[in-house]
Structures are given as structure tokens and as C-alpha cells.
């Protein structure tokens, strides 16, 4: 009969192997073909590999609130299996892209126009910040909480972000914490405040 110690070691090994397996399959899996054809596709030609969704941004009037225009596998199916996607970020004066994470990819941001204050927090809770000018690039490591803020009260900013996944995913901290069904008492204890404050924060996120 196996001892408690050997049973514990065996279970620990299983947990470790499972963790390694999870790391190995994280992000986009490799595909065994040149590209992935959707099941409902009948004709594959150059149009399949072309995304025209960003045309709407050309010559468009300025936006009044922060806006993200995405080209991910959801909008552009040809990206499926290619481990790449893009987003165009439009920042009117004084707007922010609130703290968030991308669980499946790092983000490489290119500031096309204007200025931005950007930053991320690593797993030791160290904050890294920088003020970007047009032409600058900044990398947000995979899975870390980060933000972008246009502190200019007069001018807008425009950035393009590249991701190493066709579906990087976005977890917005304000939405995740205060626009879901997490109990008010749990949030109040976590933030060392009262329920009334939590409810006020939740109310502020409602459309």
C-alpha cells in the first residue's frame, strides 16, 4: 500500500504536469495547414485574406469618447491560426483606456499621433510608466495590468496596437469588478471601504 508521502508526490507530479500542459497550449495553437478555412466557406480567394473594416476610420469625424476598432479572428476570420491581430485606439482629449489585461498576448503599441501616458504593473506590483510622443512604441507584457491615458486637454491621440494572438482577449478591471455580480460585501472588504461606496462605483459604470 502506497504511503501518504508517495501519494502526495504523485499528486504533486500530476499537478505539475497539468500546469506545464496548460502553459504549452496557452495562446494560439499551431495549425497543421497554411491557413484555417471556415466550415461554411465555399470560395477562398484574395477577398478572404482582406479586411476592410478599418476603411470606416479614414476621413471619419473625430470620436467623442475613447474607441477601439479591432481586427481579430472574430472580425477577420482569416486570422484564425495566424497568431496576430490589430487594434486601432482613438483617444479624444482627456480620455483613457482603463486598466485592463490581455490574457493571451503581449501588446505592442505604436503611437501614430498625439501623446499618451502609458504604464503597466508587474507581478511584484512595480509600476512602469512612460509618456509617449508620436512615433514611439511601447510593449505591454502578456497578461499584465496596463493602461493608456491622453492627458492632453486639447488634442486627440491615435495609436495602433499589435498582438501575438488572433484573439488576445481583454479583461477590463472596472467592468470585471464593478459591472458583474460580485457581491458588494466582498468588494467592500477587498477595497477596505463600505458597501455604499461600492454601489456608487457600480452605478457610475452603468450606461
Amino acid at each position: 500500500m502506497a504511503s501518504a508521502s508517495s501519494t502526495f508526490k504523485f499528486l504533486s507530479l500530476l499537478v505539475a504536469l497539468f500546469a506545464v500542459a496548460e502553459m504549452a497550449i496557452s495562446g494560439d495553437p499551431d495549425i497543421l495547414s497554411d491557413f484555417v478555412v471556415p466550415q461554411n466557406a465555399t470560395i477562398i480567394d484574395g477577398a478572404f485574406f482582406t479586411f476592410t473594416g478599418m476603411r470606416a476610420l479614414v476621413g471619419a469625424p473625430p470620436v467623442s469618447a475613447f474607441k477601439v476598432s479591432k481586427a481579430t479572428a472574430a472580425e477577420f476570420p482569416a486570422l484564425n491560426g495566424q497568431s496576430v491581430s490589430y487594434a486601432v485606439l482613438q483617444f479624444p482629449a482627456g480620455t483613457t483606456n482603463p486598466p485592463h489585461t490581455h490574457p493571451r498576448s503581449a501588446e505592442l503599441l505604436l503611437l501614430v499621433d498625439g501623446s499618451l501616458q502609458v504604464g503597466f504593473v508587474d507581478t511584484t506590483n512595480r509600476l512602469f510608466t512612460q509618456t509617449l510622443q508620436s512615433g514611439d512604441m511601447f510593449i505591454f507584457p502578456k497578461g499584465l495590468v496596463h493602461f493608456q491615458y491622453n492627458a492632453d486637454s486639447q488634442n486627440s491621440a491615435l495609436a495602433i496596437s499589435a498582438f501575438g494572438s488572433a484573439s488576445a482577449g481583454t479583461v477590463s478591471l472596472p467592468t470585471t469588478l464593478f459591472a458583474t455580480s460580485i457581491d458588494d460585501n466582498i468588494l467592500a472588504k477587498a477595497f477596505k471601504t463600505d458597501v455604499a461606496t461600492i454601489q456608487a462605483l457600480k452605478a457610475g459604470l452603468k450606461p
Side-chain angles (χ1 to χ4, degrees), residues 97-100 107 109 116-122 126-132 138-141 144-149:
N97 187 4
H100 61 282
E107 174 182 358
L109 181 144
L116 283 179
Q117 293 182 8
V118 302
F120 68 86
V121 180
D122 71 7
R126 182 181 177 187
L127 173 65
F128 297 83
T129 62
Q130 183 68 10
T131 299
L132 305 182
F138 192 87
I139 182 71
F140 301 99
L144 297 186
V145 174
H146 61 281
F147 63 88
Q148 300 106 20
Y149 171 49

Side-chain angles (χ1 to χ4, degrees), residues 7 35 40 58-59 91 114 152 162 171-172 175 184-185 190 202:
T7 301
F35 49 87
N40 60 350
V58 180
F91 296 85
D152 192 322
V171 179
S172 170
T175 301
D184 292 348
N185 291 291
K202 287 186 173 183

Side-chain angles (χ1 to χ4, degrees), residues 104 130 136 145 182 196 200:
R104 293 183 288 276
Q130 183 68 10
D136 291 348
V145 174
I182 299 177

Side-chain angles (χ1 to χ4, degrees), residues 85-196:
S85 59
Y86 273 92
V88 175
L89 291 73
Q90 296 173 275
F91 296 85
T95 59
T96 183
N97 187 4
H100 61 282
T101 70
H102 301 294
R104 293 183 288 276
S105 176
E107 174 182 358
L108 180 60
L109 181 144
L110 168 63
L111 184 58
V112 177
D113 187 42
S115 64
L116 283 179
Q117 293 182 8
V118 302
F120 68 86
V121 180
D122 71 7
T123 54
T124 68
N125 290 324
R126 182 181 177 187
L127 173 65
F128 297 83
T129 62
Q130 183 68 10
T131 299
L132 305 182
Q133 304 299 328
S134 298
D136 291 348
M137 301 180 78
F138 192 87
I139 182 71
F140 301 99
K142 177 180 177 180
L144 297 186
V145 174
H146 61 281
F147 63 88
Q148 300 106 20
Y149 171 49
N150 180 9
D152 192 322
S153 61
Q154 301 295 324
N155 301 299
S156 61
L158 177 68
I160 298 175
S161 286
F163 301 90
S165 169
S167 181
T170 300
V171 179
S172 170
L173 269 63
T175 301
T176 299
L177 292 170
F178 302 111
T180 57
S181 299
I182 299 177
D183 186 85
D184 292 348
N185 291 291
I186 294 174
L187 292 173
K189 289 181 181 297
F191 287 95
K192 294 180 172 59
T193 185
D194 52 50
V195 169

Side-chain angles (χ1 to χ4, degrees), residues 55-68:
R55 290 182 183 178
L57 302 180
V58 180
V63 296
S64 59
F66 170 71
K67 181 180 179 181
V68 180

